[in-house]
Amino acid sequence: MSRNRQALTAFLRERGILYASATQPIRHRDGALAPWAFYSWNATLTSEGLRLAALCILERLRGFRATQLATIGYTGMPLLSACVLLGEGRYTGLCIREQRKTYVSCRRVEGPFDKTMPVVIIDDSISSGTSLGKAIRAIEDEGAEVEGADVSDKTDSD
């Protein structure tokens, strides 16, 4: 495990878990109460957490040929932006909307999108795979190839 990954793991253990309390209930997608949840905002909205997360993602991106990075929803946007910023000019970012915008650009995929080049999807976590599936379909529906994805999963321990 790289030094950046070790530091990110420690950071997330300390700050990336939101625990239920009387004033802050935690709920599963089905509405059932949960004792805790992964909460990436406490990491990706801090300079140290975001820097560590982006460096870890950039390490993993070395295995891809794609230079276009995309995300869907809100939680992946800080990660995407940090990878573009720290990627030394190699990457551009794309934001996928849930639905095509009905005015101005009228796009579903925002940003400097080159449909002839592959895309890697970035997200903060994967639990059900629903967001990742939507992102892949959106890119493919626009006629581009999804080369792969970089997401954290609860069983990721390497």
mmCIF file of all heavy atoms in Angstrom, residues 114-150:
data_model
loop_
_atom_site.group_PDB
_atom_site.id
_atom_site.type_symbol
_atom_site.label_atom_id
_atom_site.label_comp_id
_atom_site.label_asym_id
_atom_site.label_seq_id
_atom_site.Cartn_x
_atom_site.Cartn_y
_atom_site.Cartn_z
ATOM 1 N N ASP A 114 -14.800 15.036 -25.636
ATOM 2 C CA ASP A 114 -14.356 14.528 -26.935
ATOM 3 C C ASP A 114 -14.865 13.096 -27.049
ATOM 4 O O ASP A 114 -14.307 12.176 -26.450
ATOM 5 C CB ASP A 114 -12.835 14.580 -27.038
ATOM 6 C CG ASP A 114 -12.311 14.090 -28.381
ATOM 7 O OD1 ASP A 114 -13.080 13.462 -29.155
ATOM 8 O OD2 ASP A 114 -11.121 14.325 -28.644
ATOM 9 N N LYS A 115 -15.915 12.909 -27.818
ATOM 10 C CA LYS A 115 -16.563 11.599 -27.914
ATOM 11 C C LYS A 115 -15.697 10.538 -28.585
ATOM 12 O O LYS A 115 -16.010 9.360 -28.531
ATOM 13 C CB LYS A 115 -17.889 11.743 -28.652
ATOM 14 C CG LYS A 115 -18.878 12.606 -27.904
ATOM 15 C CD LYS A 115 -20.155 12.810 -28.684
ATOM 16 C CE LYS A 115 -21.061 13.770 -27.939
ATOM 17 N NZ LYS A 115 -22.327 13.975 -28.621
ATOM 18 N N THR A 116 -14.602 10.954 -29.219
ATOM 19 C CA THR A 116 -13.705 9.991 -29.859
ATOM 20 C C THR A 116 -12.670 9.429 -28.885
ATOM 21 O O THR A 116 -11.926 8.518 -29.242
ATOM 22 C CB THR A 116 -12.962 10.634 -31.051
ATOM 23 O OG1 THR A 116 -12.060 11.640 -30.563
ATOM 24 C CG2 THR A 116 -13.946 11.243 -32.049
ATOM 25 N N MET A 117 -12.638 9.964 -27.676
ATOM 26 C CA MET A 117 -11.645 9.539 -26.683
ATOM 27 C C MET A 117 -12.332 8.818 -25.519
ATOM 28 O O MET A 117 -13.447 9.166 -25.150
ATOM 29 C CB MET A 117 -10.888 10.755 -26.152
ATOM 30 C CG MET A 117 -10.156 11.549 -27.222
ATOM 31 S SD MET A 117 -8.870 10.586 -28.051
ATOM 32 C CE MET A 117 -7.695 10.456 -26.722
ATOM 33 N N PRO A 118 -11.657 7.820 -24.917
ATOM 34 C CA PRO A 118 -12.261 7.079 -23.803
ATOM 35 C C PRO A 118 -12.378 7.940 -22.544
ATOM 36 O O PRO A 118 -11.713 8.966 -22.402
ATOM 37 C CB PRO A 118 -11.299 5.912 -23.580
ATOM 38 C CG PRO A 118 -9.994 6.388 -24.105
ATOM 39 C CD PRO A 118 -10.314 7.329 -25.244
ATOM 40 N N VAL A 119 -13.227 7.461 -21.634
ATOM 41 C CA VAL A 119 -13.541 8.163 -20.383
ATOM 42 C C VAL A 119 -13.361 7.205 -19.216
ATOM 43 O O VAL A 119 -13.683 6.024 -19.323
ATOM 44 C CB VAL A 119 -15.004 8.678 -20.413
ATOM 45 C CG1 VAL A 119 -15.398 9.326 -19.102
ATOM 46 C CG2 VAL A 119 -15.230 9.620 -21.584
ATOM 47 N N VAL A 120 -12.873 7.734 -18.090
ATOM 48 C CA VAL A 120 -12.856 6.988 -16.832
ATOM 49 C C VAL A 120 -13.817 7.695 -15.879
ATOM 50 O O VAL A 120 -13.760 8.916 -15.729
ATOM 51 C CB VAL A 120 -11.443 6.919 -16.200
ATOM 52 C CG1 VAL A 120 -11.497 6.314 -14.802
ATOM 53 C CG2 VAL A 120 -10.501 6.117 -17.082
ATOM 54 N N ILE A 121 -14.705 6.943 -15.270
ATOM 55 C CA ILE A 121 -15.669 7.472 -14.308
ATOM 56 C C ILE A 121 -15.010 7.485 -12.923
ATOM 57 O O ILE A 121 -14.377 6.504 -12.529
ATOM 58 C CB ILE A 121 -16.944 6.597 -14.241
ATOM 59 C CG1 ILE A 121 -17.544 6.347 -15.631
ATOM 60 C CG2 ILE A 121 -17.961 7.200 -13.266
ATOM 61 C CD1 ILE A 121 -18.063 7.545 -16.344
ATOM 62 N N ILE A 122 -15.191 8.582 -12.195
ATOM 63 C CA ILE A 122 -14.664 8.719 -10.831
ATOM 64 C C ILE A 122 -15.829 8.974 -9.883
ATOM 65 O O ILE A 122 -16.698 9.787 -10.186
ATOM 66 C CB ILE A 122 -13.665 9.895 -10.740
ATOM 67 C CG1 ILE A 122 -12.413 9.565 -11.534
ATOM 68 C CG2 ILE A 122 -13.327 10.214 -9.293
ATOM 69 C CD1 ILE A 122 -11.410 10.678 -11.544
ATOM 70 N N ASP A 123 -15.825 8.280 -8.752
ATOM 71 C CA ASP A 123 -16.814 8.560 -7.711
ATOM 72 C C ASP A 123 -16.193 8.282 -6.357
ATOM 73 O O ASP A 123 -15.162 7.623 -6.261
ATOM 74 C CB ASP A 123 -18.080 7.722 -7.919
ATOM 75 C CG ASP A 123 -19.325 8.383 -7.351
ATOM 76 O OD1 ASP A 123 -19.205 9.387 -6.624
ATOM 77 O OD2 ASP A 123 -20.422 7.893 -7.630
ATOM 78 N N ASP A 124 -16.826 8.796 -5.313
ATOM 79 C CA ASP A 124 -16.263 8.669 -3.972
ATOM 80 C C ASP A 124 -16.466 7.283 -3.380
ATOM 81 O O ASP A 124 -15.680 6.839 -2.557
ATOM 82 C CB ASP A 124 -16.851 9.728 -3.035
ATOM 83 C CG ASP A 124 -18.298 9.467 -2.708
ATOM 84 O OD1 ASP A 124 -19.060 9.120 -3.626
ATOM 85 O OD2 ASP A 124 -18.679 9.627 -1.545
ATOM 86 N N SER A 125 -17.516 6.591 -3.770
ATOM 87 C CA SER A 125 -17.767 5.260 -3.218
ATOM 88 C C SER A 125 -18.737 4.511 -4.114
ATOM 89 O O SER A 125 -19.385 5.095 -4.974
ATOM 90 C CB SER A 125 -18.347 5.356 -1.798
ATOM 91 O OG SER A 125 -19.632 5.914 -1.838
ATOM 92 N N ILE A 126 -18.810 3.225 -3.875
ATOM 93 C CA ILE A 126 -19.796 2.415 -4.582
ATOM 94 C C ILE A 126 -20.483 1.536 -3.548
ATOM 95 O O ILE A 126 -19.826 0.909 -2.722
ATOM 96 C CB ILE A 126 -19.156 1.580 -5.713
ATOM 97 C CG1 ILE A 126 -20.212 0.890 -6.548
ATOM 98 C CG2 ILE A 126 -18.148 0.601 -5.169
ATOM 99 C CD1 ILE A 126 -19.682 0.302 -7.838
ATOM 100 N N SER A 127 -21.784 1.585 -3.552
ATOM 101 C CA SER A 127 -22.516 0.690 -2.655
ATOM 102 C C SER A 127 -23.465 -0.147 -3.490
ATOM 103 O O SER A 127 -23.274 -1.345 -3.619
ATOM 104 C CB SER A 127 -23.235 1.466 -1.550
ATOM 105 O OG SER A 127 -24.023 2.488 -2.092
ATOM 106 N N SER A 128 -24.434 0.471 -4.125
ATOM 107 C CA SER A 128 -25.373 -0.290 -4.948
ATOM 108 C C SER A 128 -24.932 -0.368 -6.411
ATOM 109 O O SER A 128 -25.381 -1.241 -7.141
ATOM 110 C CB SER A 128 -26.762 0.352 -4.885
ATOM 111 O OG SER A 128 -26.746 1.607 -5.553
ATOM 112 N N GLY A 129 -24.089 0.553 -6.851
ATOM 113 C CA GLY A 129 -23.674 0.595 -8.247
ATOM 114 C C GLY A 129 -24.620 1.386 -9.136
ATOM 115 O O GLY A 129 -24.387 1.524 -10.342
ATOM 116 N N THR A 130 -25.682 1.939 -8.552
ATOM 117 C CA THR A 130 -26.688 2.664 -9.331
ATOM 118 C C THR A 130 -26.091 3.885 -10.028
ATOM 119 O O THR A 130 -26.295 4.080 -11.234
ATOM 120 C CB THR A 130 -27.853 3.091 -8.420
ATOM 121 O OG1 THR A 130 -28.414 1.919 -7.829
ATOM 122 C CG2 THR A 130 -28.927 3.820 -9.199
ATOM 123 N N SER A 131 -25.372 4.718 -9.301
ATOM 124 C CA SER A 131 -24.785 5.925 -9.901
ATOM 125 C C SER A 131 -23.763 5.577 -10.966
ATOM 126 O O SER A 131 -23.725 6.203 -12.027
ATOM 127 C CB SER A 131 -24.131 6.794 -8.834
ATOM 128 O OG SER A 131 -25.097 7.330 -7.979
ATOM 129 N N LEU A 132 -22.930 4.585 -10.695
ATOM 130 C CA LEU A 132 -21.934 4.166 -11.676
ATOM 131 C C LEU A 132 -22.612 3.675 -12.947
ATOM 132 O O LEU A 132 -22.199 4.033 -14.056
ATOM 133 C CB LEU A 132 -21.024 3.091 -11.088
ATOM 134 C CG LEU A 132 -19.938 2.558 -12.015
ATOM 135 C CD1 LEU A 132 -19.018 3.686 -12.485
ATOM 136 C CD2 LEU A 132 -19.147 1.467 -11.314
ATOM 137 N N GLY A 133 -23.666 2.892 -12.804
ATOM 138 C CA GLY A 133 -24.407 2.412 -13.976
ATOM 139 C C GLY A 133 -24.994 3.557 -14.787
ATOM 140 O O GLY A 133 -24.929 3.564 -16.024
ATOM 141 N N LYS A 134 -25.562 4.543 -14.100
ATOM 142 C CA LYS A 134 -26.110 5.718 -14.793
ATOM 143 C C LYS A 134 -25.025 6.483 -15.532
ATOM 144 O O LYS A 134 -25.228 6.946 -16.658
ATOM 145 C CB LYS A 134 -26.797 6.653 -13.800
ATOM 146 C CG LYS A 134 -28.114 6.150 -13.277
ATOM 147 C CD LYS A 134 -28.683 7.148 -12.269
ATOM 148 C CE LYS A 134 -29.970 6.646 -11.667
ATOM 149 N NZ LYS A 134 -30.505 7.596 -10.666
ATOM 150 N N ALA A 135 -23.868 6.625 -14.901
ATOM 151 C CA ALA A 135 -22.767 7.356 -15.530
ATOM 152 C C ALA A 135 -22.279 6.634 -16.783
ATOM 153 O O ALA A 135 -22.072 7.262 -17.830
ATOM 154 C CB ALA A 135 -21.626 7.534 -14.540
ATOM 155 N N ILE A 136 -22.114 5.333 -16.692
ATOM 156 C CA ILE A 136 -21.665 4.551 -17.851
ATOM 157 C C ILE A 136 -22.662 4.665 -18.979
ATOM 158 O O ILE A 136 -22.291 4.928 -20.137
ATOM 159 C CB ILE A 136 -21.431 3.078 -17.450
ATOM 160 C CG1 ILE A 136 -20.215 2.977 -16.524
ATOM 161 C CG2 ILE A 136 -21.263 2.195 -18.681
ATOM 162 C CD1 ILE A 136 -20.056 1.632 -15.850
ATOM 163 N N ARG A 137 -23.943 4.496 -18.676
ATOM 164 C CA ARG A 137 -24.974 4.601 -19.721
ATOM 165 C C ARG A 137 -24.988 5.982 -20.363
ATOM 166 O O ARG A 137 -25.128 6.109 -21.577
ATOM 167 C CB ARG A 137 -26.355 4.243 -19.159
ATOM 168 C CG ARG A 137 -26.577 2.746 -19.046
ATOM 169 C CD ARG A 137 -28.014 2.384 -18.685
ATOM 170 N NE ARG A 137 -28.435 2.901 -17.389
ATOM 171 C CZ ARG A 137 -28.097 2.380 -16.214
ATOM 172 N NH1 ARG A 137 -27.323 1.324 -16.170
ATOM 173 N NH2 ARG A 137 -28.539 2.908 -15.098
ATOM 174 N N ALA A 138 -24.839 7.028 -19.565
ATOM 175 C CA ALA A 138 -24.858 8.394 -20.112
ATOM 176 C C ALA A 138 -23.712 8.608 -21.094
ATOM 177 O O ALA A 138 -23.915 9.159 -22.182
ATOM 178 C CB ALA A 138 -24.792 9.420 -18.978
ATOM 179 N N ILE A 139 -22.511 8.190 -20.726
ATOM 180 C CA ILE A 139 -21.346 8.353 -21.616
ATOM 181 C C ILE A 139 -21.533 7.522 -22.879
ATOM 182 O O ILE A 139 -21.302 8.002 -23.994
ATOM 183 C CB ILE A 139 -20.035 7.970 -20.879
ATOM 184 C CG1 ILE A 139 -19.763 8.934 -19.723
ATOM 185 C CG2 ILE A 139 -18.865 7.906 -21.860
ATOM 186 C CD1 ILE A 139 -19.491 10.360 -20.108
ATOM 187 N N GLU A 140 -21.962 6.280 -22.714
ATOM 188 C CA GLU A 140 -22.166 5.414 -23.884
ATOM 189 C C GLU A 140 -23.307 5.907 -24.759
ATOM 190 O O GLU A 140 -23.219 5.842 -25.992
ATOM 191 C CB GLU A 140 -22.386 3.974 -23.439
ATOM 192 C CG GLU A 140 -21.116 3.352 -22.874
ATOM 193 C CD GLU A 140 -21.293 1.938 -22.361
ATOM 194 O OE1 GLU A 140 -22.453 1.496 -22.126
ATOM 195 O OE2 GLU A 140 -20.261 1.267 -22.165
ATOM 196 N N ASP A 141 -24.374 6.422 -24.166
ATOM 197 C CA ASP A 141 -25.487 6.974 -24.948
ATOM 198 C C ASP A 141 -25.043 8.163 -25.791
ATOM 199 O O ASP A 141 -25.627 8.434 -26.837
ATOM 200 C CB ASP A 141 -26.646 7.402 -24.036
ATOM 201 C CG ASP A 141 -27.416 6.224 -23.459
ATOM 202 O OD1 ASP A 141 -27.184 5.072 -23.876
ATOM 203 O OD2 ASP A 141 -28.252 6.468 -22.549
ATOM 204 N N GLU A 142 -24.007 8.873 -25.322
ATOM 205 C CA GLU A 142 -23.475 10.010 -26.074
ATOM 206 C C GLU A 142 -22.475 9.565 -27.137
ATOM 207 O O GLU A 142 -21.940 10.389 -27.869
ATOM 208 C CB GLU A 142 -22.816 11.022 -25.126
ATOM 209 C CG GLU A 142 -23.797 11.700 -24.193
ATOM 210 C CD GLU A 142 -24.798 12.583 -24.909
ATOM 211 O OE1 GLU A 142 -24.413 13.294 -25.853
ATOM 212 O OE2 GLU A 142 -25.987 12.555 -24.521
ATOM 213 N N GLY A 143 -22.206 8.266 -27.199
ATOM 214 C CA GLY A 143 -21.349 7.726 -28.258
ATOM 215 C C GLY A 143 -19.888 7.569 -27.900
ATOM 216 O O GLY A 143 -19.058 7.334 -28.778
ATOM 217 N N ALA A 144 -19.533 7.668 -26.636
ATOM 218 C CA ALA A 144 -18.139 7.514 -26.226
ATOM 219 C C ALA A 144 -17.944 6.192 -25.489
ATOM 220 O O ALA A 144 -18.898 5.563 -25.031
ATOM 221 C CB ALA A 144 -17.714 8.680 -25.340
ATOM 222 N N GLU A 145 -16.682 5.801 -25.360
ATOM 223 C CA GLU A 145 -16.311 4.572 -24.670
ATOM 224 C C GLU A 145 -15.963 4.871 -23.214
ATOM 225 O O GLU A 145 -15.237 5.818 -22.928
ATOM 226 C CB GLU A 145 -15.082 3.963 -25.347
ATOM 227 C CG GLU A 145 -14.459 2.819 -24.594
ATOM 228 C CD GLU A 145 -13.030 2.500 -25.052
ATOM 229 O OE1 GLU A 145 -12.535 3.102 -26.011
ATOM 230 O OE2 GLU A 145 -12.425 1.640 -24.392
ATOM 231 N N VAL A 146 -16.456 4.041 -22.314
ATOM 232 C CA VAL A 146 -16.039 4.094 -20.912
ATOM 233 C C VAL A 146 -14.954 3.045 -20.754
ATOM 234 O O VAL A 146 -15.210 1.854 -20.895
ATOM 235 C CB VAL A 146 -17.217 3.836 -19.949
ATOM 236 C CG1 VAL A 146 -16.712 3.743 -18.518
ATOM 237 C CG2 VAL A 146 -18.265 4.919 -20.089
ATOM 238 N N GLU A 147 -13.745 3.518 -20.494
ATOM 239 C CA GLU A 147 -12.619 2.595 -20.340
ATOM 240 C C GLU A 147 -12.656 1.891 -18.998
ATOM 241 O O GLU A 147 -12.233 0.750 -18.865
ATOM 242 C CB GLU A 147 -11.301 3.350 -20.500
ATOM 243 C CG GLU A 147 -10.101 2.441 -20.400
ATOM 244 C CD GLU A 147 -8.778 3.160 -20.529
ATOM 245 O OE1 GLU A 147 -8.763 4.396 -20.678
ATOM 246 O OE2 GLU A 147 -7.753 2.473 -20.444
ATOM 247 N N GLY A 148 -13.166 2.577 -17.978
ATOM 248 C CA GLY A 148 -13.210 1.989 -16.655
ATOM 249 C C GLY A 148 -13.714 2.981 -15.636
ATOM 250 O O GLY A 148 -14.226 4.040 -15.987
ATOM 251 N N ALA A 149 -13.556 2.616 -14.365
ATOM 252 C CA ALA A 149 -14.008 3.469 -13.270
ATOM 253 C C ALA A 149 -13.019 3.375 -12.123
ATOM 254 O O ALA A 149 -12.332 2.365 -11.969
ATOM 255 C CB ALA A 149 -15.392 3.039 -12.799
ATOM 256 N N ASP A 150 -12.955 4.433 -11.349
ATOM 257 C CA ASP A 150 -12.167 4.432 -10.122
ATOM 258 C C ASP A 150 -13.082 4.895 -9.001
ATOM 259 O O ASP A 150 -13.465 6.059 -8.941
ATOM 260 C CB ASP A 150 -10.955 5.357 -10.227
ATOM 261 C CG ASP A 150 -10.036 5.156 -9.036
ATOM 262 O OD1 ASP A 150 -10.378 5.621 -7.934
ATOM 263 O OD2 ASP A 150 -8.999 4.516 -9.204
#
